Amino acid sequence: MRKQQAPQHRRRRIRLAVGAPLALIASGVLAYGAAFGTFGDDAEPHAAAAPYPVPDNAMAAVAAMQPGWNLGNSLDAIPNETDWGQPRTTKTLLDSVRAQGFKSIRIPVTWSDHQGTAPNYTVDPGYMSRVKQVVDWAIADGLYVIIDVHHDSWQWTSKMSTDHAQVLARFNATWTQIATAFRNEPAQLVFESINEPQFDNADNTRKAQLLNELNTSFHKVVRASGGNNKNRLLMLPTEVCTPDQRLMDNLATTIKSLHDSRLVATVHYYGYFPFSVNVAGSTRFDPQVRGDLDTTFKRMRDTFVSQGVPVVLGEYGLLGYDHGPGAVERGEMLKYFEALGHSARTNKVTTVLWDNGSFYDRGKLRWKDAGLFRQIKSSGTTRSATASSDSVFVPKSGPVKDRSLTLNLNGATFTALTQGTTKLVSGRDYTLSGNRLTMKAATLTRLVGNRSPGVNATLQAGFSRGVPWRIQVITYDTPVQSDTTGTTASFRIPTQFRGDVLATMQARYADGGSAGPTGWTPYQQFNTAFAPDYAKKTIGLTPAFLDALKDDTRVELTFHFWSGATVTYHVTKSGSTVTGTTS
């Protein structure tokens, strides 16, 4: 595992599964209301110092944790805090996170490289002190805090089926030390038994048994440690934190057997996998992607929430966003986060955004994409309207024609179409028929001007609620590629993008078979098999893709662009040499 990489399940799963509002808590009864409290640029730091009241009712307490944020790739980094590219955590950072309106922070912690050997597995006191320092800063800021045993899950607890006694002894020793060190921390501190637990060399039945054993042992160790641990909220995960029904049923059985009203179920969700990473041609937030999301959150509600067990979505996001720019088109990504926030809110699931540095710049203390954050923020309080696309492509040559978008109103009503402070005129500049917004040819002609390639104008569709929908007007011409040679270690196709934006790539042999590492589909994975570099005017094919090709066998690549244009290219690998041609 290297910096900026997601845990293992995010790289391999084919089927997986913000902000919801701060709950309104009255008389210990959970109520999901209409607001986070102040969130984002207008927020002020929480003035009250901990400890502050924590509801006795676990469901209400978990609702008060909404929304949450992950301090990813820091204390969970291997072997040390800054080794995965994030700066050392400071109180200023946590103050800033709290000022954004977050009510909880999950602090993933990897203990492996800071422990001694058997039989005591002693945690380095300096490291324990460092974890405690960060926890105390967060609690002093008025945040609920979750700490866990994180990448240890694939480093050593995964060996439990073949090294049962040693793994269990180390797990218990680890949690005994954590529980002792934090036993007097206030109730705002929450313990999570283990992150994304997985077990090698075991069938499904055995995996369920092993996870049940870890979760119940964790529960016993923590509760026996005394102090505030006697009543502390404890989070128990499913296998790999996956929200599949079978795995959630297994966890529900474990929770029921423990007869403890202060237990919380936790799972993770990164969306329908092909969409999340842009593979198999899943580039849009279509009914299949939306259906996976809705079904998954309904399962969380039916399995846990409706039975009185609160749920923390300990991590969520899109894997493609973590792995590099452009994998998931921005408008499609906005639709995903808007729908996720709505589904979490209506199903009463508390969400904790996974952030390994992709969302919030910890050096500059600002959002890398403020518009994306506004969408995440808004989704916790209300629906926002979206559209079939956030781009209108106008060809470089030929007559400019009317262009239409389908609005997804989500219960809102359209109010205006604007360019900056200028309000476009209905009937003259655009028309609205039902949910079909049409921009007139004359208006587009004015907006594109001399039709220089790229974004010529940015519009906003305003609605009665939620955030406006940005629409970019883009001039494009069909991209042009050139012949080239390279090696399997470094191969880049010269590409004049001419204003267009790459959506995906197909790779096939002459017999129609799929070429590349993703053999089950011709559509390869964005930023894993290929990646555009618009500044350098190239599309790179990765060593992972090229190494998977047959020697001396021509591969046809079809590049699909968001304008609808396609470009065909051919590559042939011979040993370590790669030749690319347009013919």
Side-chain angles (χ1 to χ4, degrees), residues 511-570:
D511 63 5
S514 300
T518 312
W520 50 275
T521 172
Y523 288 93
Q524 299 299 298
Q525 185 171 330
F526 204 110
N527 283 339
T528 298
F530 65 97
D533 187 326
Y534 297 100
K536 294 182 179 179
K537 300 180 180 180
T538 63
I539 297 175
L541 302 183
T542 66
F545 174 77
L546 294 167
D547 288 343
L549 301 183
K550 300 174 185 176
D551 259 10
D552 301 315
T553 306
R554 194 162 90 146
V555 176
E556 182 178 272
L557 306 179
T558 304
F559 293 98
H560 297 258
F561 293 85
W562 280 103
S563 69
T566 60
V567 176
T568 300
Y569 195 80
H570 298 91

Side-chain angles (χ1 to χ4, degrees), residues 164-416:
H164 180 274
Q166 184 169 326
V167 168
L168 186 59
R170 184 173 182 178
F171 182 78
N172 288 342
T174 301
W175 267 112
T176 296
Q177 293 173 80
I178 299 169
T180 300
F182 291 93
R183 67 197 297 262
N184 294 320
E185 291 285 326
Q188 286 75 23
L189 179 61
V190 179
F191 291 158
E192 177 183 353
S193 67
I194 186 165
N195 172 71
E196 298 179 346
Q198 53 193 279
F199 304 98
D200 303 331
N201 303 308
D203 61 17
N204 288 340
T205 300
R206 181 61 173 153
K207 289 176 182 177
Q209 293 169 345
L210 294 172
L211 180 55
N212 176 72
E213 189 172 7
L214 285 184
N215 278 332
T216 55
S217 189
F218 158 77
H219 177 264
K220 181 179 179 180
V221 166
V222 173
R223 289 290 184 246
S225 63
N228 289 331
N229 292 340
K230 291 185 292 185
N231 294 301
R232 189 176 305 285
L233 286 171
L234 303 181
M235 282 171 46
L236 306 182
T238 61
E239 183 189 327
V240 201
C241 288
T242 302
D244 286 350
Q245 188 62 57
R246 175 179 61 84
L247 303 181
M248 291 197 293
D249 287 343
N250 290 342
L251 178 59
T253 299
T254 295
I255 290 175
K256 184 176 181 180
S257 73
L258 292 173
H259 305 288
D260 186 335
S261 63
R262 302 286 288 174
L263 299 182
V264 180
T266 185
V267 294
H268 297 170
Y269 186 71
Y270 286 91
Y272 177 67
F273 182 78
F275 172 75
S276 186
V277 301
N278 189 344
V279 72
S282 184
T283 59
R284 294 189 179 275
F285 186 68
D286 60 20
Q288 186 171 24
V289 180
R290 178 59 190 263
D292 184 87
L293 189 154
D294 289 341
T295 299
T296 300
F297 277 88
K298 183 178 183 299
R299 286 200 300 259
M300 296 180 208
R301 182 194 68 200
D302 293 347
T303 307
F304 297 116
V305 177
S306 66
Q307 304 304 312
V309 177
V311 175
V312 169
L313 188 66
E315 296 180 15
Y316 75 94
L318 281 172
L319 303 184
Y321 189 78
D322 285 350
H323 292 170
V328 182
E329 196 274 335
R330 189 175 184 273
E332 304 306 309
M333 181 168 59
L334 291 174
K335 287 184 254 187
Y336 167 84
F337 280 107
E338 192 282 330
L340 188 147
H342 169 72
S343 196
R345 177 162 52 94
T346 55
N347 288 288
K348 301 181 181 178
V349 173
T350 288
T351 58
V352 189
L353 178 68
W354 175 256
D355 191 353
N356 59 13
S358 296
F359 289 91
Y360 196 62
D361 188 318
R362 299 178 197 175
K364 298 178 181 178
L365 300 180
R366 67 187 187 193
W367 297 101
K368 293 183 176 180
D369 185 335
L372 172 59
F373 177 68
R374 283 192 292 272
Q375 185 70 288
I376 293 173
K377 159 195 166 181
S378 180
S379 71
T381 63
T382 189
R383 298 303 308 268
S384 290
T386 64
S388 54
S389 178
D390 64 346
S391 300
V392 172
F393 285 90
V394 177
K396 173 69 176 174
S397 59
V400 176
K401 300 179 180 179
D402 290 357
R403 289 287 187 272
S404 296
L405 298 174
T406 301
L407 302 180
N408 310 307
L409 293 169
N410 293 326
T413 56
F414 175 85
T415 57

